[in-house]
Structure formats: C-alpha cells, structure tokens
Amino acid sequence: MFDATRLEVTLEQAVARIREAHGERPRVAVVLGTGLGALSEAIEVAAAIPYEDVPGFPVSTVQAHAGRLVLGSLEGVQVIGLDGRFHRYEGYAMAEIGFPIRVLKALGVEILLLTSAVGGMNPLWPPGDLVLLSDHINLMGDNPLIGPNVDSQGPRFPDMSEVYDGELRAVAREQALRLGIHLREGVYVAVMGPNLETAAEYRMLRAVGADVVGMSTVPEAIVAAHVGLRVAGIATITDACLPDALEPANVEQIIATANAAEPTLTALITNIIANI
C-alpha cells in the first residue's frame, strides 16, 4: 500500500489534473467492465482523460477496456465513468488497483456503481442475465488494504457487513421491475485469473456459496468500504460455468454477450442514477 505521504501527494496531483479538465464535483462514479464501455456514451461528456494522463493511475491493458475517465452528467446528475478497469493478473499491486477508488472519494464522489462481466455458476441463470450483487467472497489471495493503514483514508479494520448498500439495491430492484428487466441477485466470488477455472474449481466455488465468478470488482469494493463510499454492483453473465456441461471458453463470444446485454444494463444504470 502507498505510504501516507506518497498517497496524499499523489491523490492531490490526480484530483488537480481531473479538476483542471472538469471543475464540477461528481456525485456518482461508474466502473465499466469488459464489453460494457458503451455505457459511457449515455453520459453527456464534458471531458475525457486518458488514464496515462492522471498521476498514479494504472493503464488498462485488457481487450475491450478503453482506458479513460469520462466526466459529465447523466439524468442531470454529475457523474464520472471509469471506462476500463485494472486487474491483479495484469501485474498491478492491489493497492494500485484501489488507488482510482481513493481518487473518486477525494473528488467528492458519494456513490460507486461497479459493473463487470462474470461467469455464471447458477444453472438457472443463462448468459445475458444481469445480477445485482448482494455480497462477495474474496479468493484472490490478496487484499488492497495490506500494509500500514493510512488513517486519513479509513479505519484499520473496515466493517464489511454490508459492502453492497441495501438502499441502492432496493432502488436497483425497483427500477428493474419498472423497466421489465429480469434482475437476478447473488454472490460474486473473485479469483486471481487470468485463466478461467477448471470444472472442479467451479464445483468448489459454487459449494462455498458463490453464484457468479470474476477477476475484478472485489478489490474496488473493499477500498470503497475503507473510504466510506456507498456501493452497488451489477454483473452481466457472459458464459455458463457449469462443471458437468463445461465448454471451452471463447473470449470473443464472452465480449459479444456483454455487448448484447449492454443496452439493458445502460437503461438500468441510467434509471438507478436518476432515482438515487
């Protein structure tokens, strides 16, 4: 983790760079996962900043991640979109993955909406379905809070009893019902990657209580809990991970499934933001 002096200095530099491009304070932030970048097109964009231009930010290296900050408004609410995210399997330390979340808090963001593409392990949930996250399991073998705690950022032992805000989840359910969107609700398990799982591993992950599996989201949610952001997570099931009917993974098909579900996700996220 960053030491206190380096963290504060880098945070100040990142915030200054972003405010230089757009002076409005964003209230809501949205992290856009694999194949979900088109959601940024719904934002009335006032400024877009490549990640490499923001001090302290990692750079996205993954296919279908644009790698930029998008600032503007959505349904009259000031928002900031992270068009692409960062993963442990790219070689980044967990503290580096969590740094952009700390920048969001320093900018004045109150609510963080996390989106992601996931493998579905519930046999009743087909690819293309959206899943509202109720909880998570961290099996990444690492944690973004390891190291000396920076007390100005949050407590040494942050509470995780309700990482995914109950009121935000209620809004998501209400808006999904109003829009006629079939919104599942379940538990996300995070693994390191980048390989997908074996049939035996899918059996294990299902047995420990997970409904969907991915390689992101949880580090961001942990840091968000540390700094005091309200969090909601919505995942798109992009492939069926059923151990007794497991087929070889097709990355192009996974991205295509995420792209096909993107208009539904955009409508849901837009209406959540409008009704927060």
Side-chain angles (χ1 to χ4, degrees), residues 7 15 17 33-34 88 92 95 100 104-105 113 171 177 209 214 231 267:
L7 176 61
V15 169
R17 173 65 185 90
T34 299
R88 183 69 183 88
Y92 291 119
L104 296 177
K105 175 67 174 182
L113 304 179
V171 172
L177 182 62
V231 180

Side-chain angles (χ1 to χ4, degrees), residues 175-216:
Q175 294 309 308
L177 182 62
R178 189 179 68 81
L179 295 168
I181 296 171
H182 197 176
L183 183 64
R184 311 289 188 174
E185 189 162 359
V187 176
Y188 181 117
V189 61
V191 294
M192 182 79 75
N195 62 280
L196 301 185
E197 289 67 50
T198 67
E201 288 168 337
Y202 285 130
R203 288 191 187 94
M204 177 196 70
L205 296 174
R206 185 75 176 128
V208 300
D211 298 290
V212 296
V213 57
M215 305 170 192
S216 66

Side-chain angles (χ1 to χ4, degrees), residues 191-276:
V191 294
M192 182 79 75
N195 62 280
L196 301 185
E197 289 67 50
T198 67
E201 288 168 337
Y202 285 130
R203 288 191 187 94
M204 177 196 70
L205 296 174
R206 185 75 176 128
V208 300
D211 298 290
V212 296
V213 57
M215 305 170 192
S216 66
T217 302
V218 168
E220 297 153 349
I222 291 172
V223 175
H226 187 240
V227 300
L229 291 175
R230 298 173 62 197
V231 180
I234 301 175
T236 301
I237 297 176
T238 56
D239 56 321
C241 304
L242 308 178
D244 296 319
L246 195 59
E247 298 181 356
N250 183 318
V251 174
E252 288 72 23
Q253 183 58 48
I254 287 172
I255 294 174
T257 302
N259 287 337
E262 211 277 339
T264 302
L265 178 64
T266 295
L268 181 56
I269 293 288
T270 299
N271 280 271
I272 291 171
I273 290 174
N275 289 276
I276 288 173

Side-chain angles (χ1 to χ4, degrees), residues 23 32-33 42-43 45 51 68 95 97 113 123 128-129 200 205 211 237-238:
L32 305 175
I43 299 173
V45 178
Y51 287 158
R68 60 176 187 159
I97 295 169
L113 304 179
D129 275 6
L205 296 174
D211 298 290
I237 297 176
T238 56

Side-chain angles (χ1 to χ4, degrees), residues 28-178:
V28 178
V30 185
V31 176
L32 305 175
T34 299
L36 304 173
L39 179 60
S40 63
E41 296 175 7
I43 299 173
E44 295 181 22
V45 178
I49 313 171
Y51 287 158
E52 56 263 32
D53 290 350
V54 182
F57 260 60
V59 177
S60 292
T61 67
V62 181
Q63 182 181 358
H65 287 246
R68 60 176 187 159
L69 288 173
V70 180
L71 300 105
S73 64
L74 185 60
E75 293 296 315
V77 179
Q78 288 296 316
V79 300
I80 180 169
L82 276 72
D83 194 353
R85 56 150 53 92
F86 319 103
H87 306 80
R88 183 69 183 88
Y89 66 74
E90 294 176 82
Y92 291 119
M94 292 285 264
E96 291 179 292
I97 295 169
F99 178 73
I101 307 303
R102 300 186 185 281
V103 172
L104 296 177
K105 175 67 174 182
L107 284 168
V109 168
E110 302 168 12
I111 293 169
L112 176 64
L113 304 179
L114 299 171
T115 72
S116 60
V118 295
M121 298 182 293
N122 188 317
L124 301 179
W125 297 359
D129 275 6
L130 301 183
V131 181
L132 179 66
L133 304 188
S134 60
D135 209 341
H136 73 233
I137 301 169
N138 181 14
L139 291 183
M140 300 185 81
D142 203 348
N143 190 298
L145 306 184
I146 288 176
N149 189 59
V150 181
D151 293 337
S152 61
Q153 289 286 299
R156 169 75 281 186
F157 303 106
D159 178 71
M160 303 292 284
S161 60
E162 192 182 35
V163 180
Y164 303 95
D165 186 270
E167 292 182 5
L168 294 178
R169 284 159 53 201
V171 172
R173 292 189 208 101
E174 291 167 2
Q175 294 309 308
L177 182 62
R178 189 179 68 81

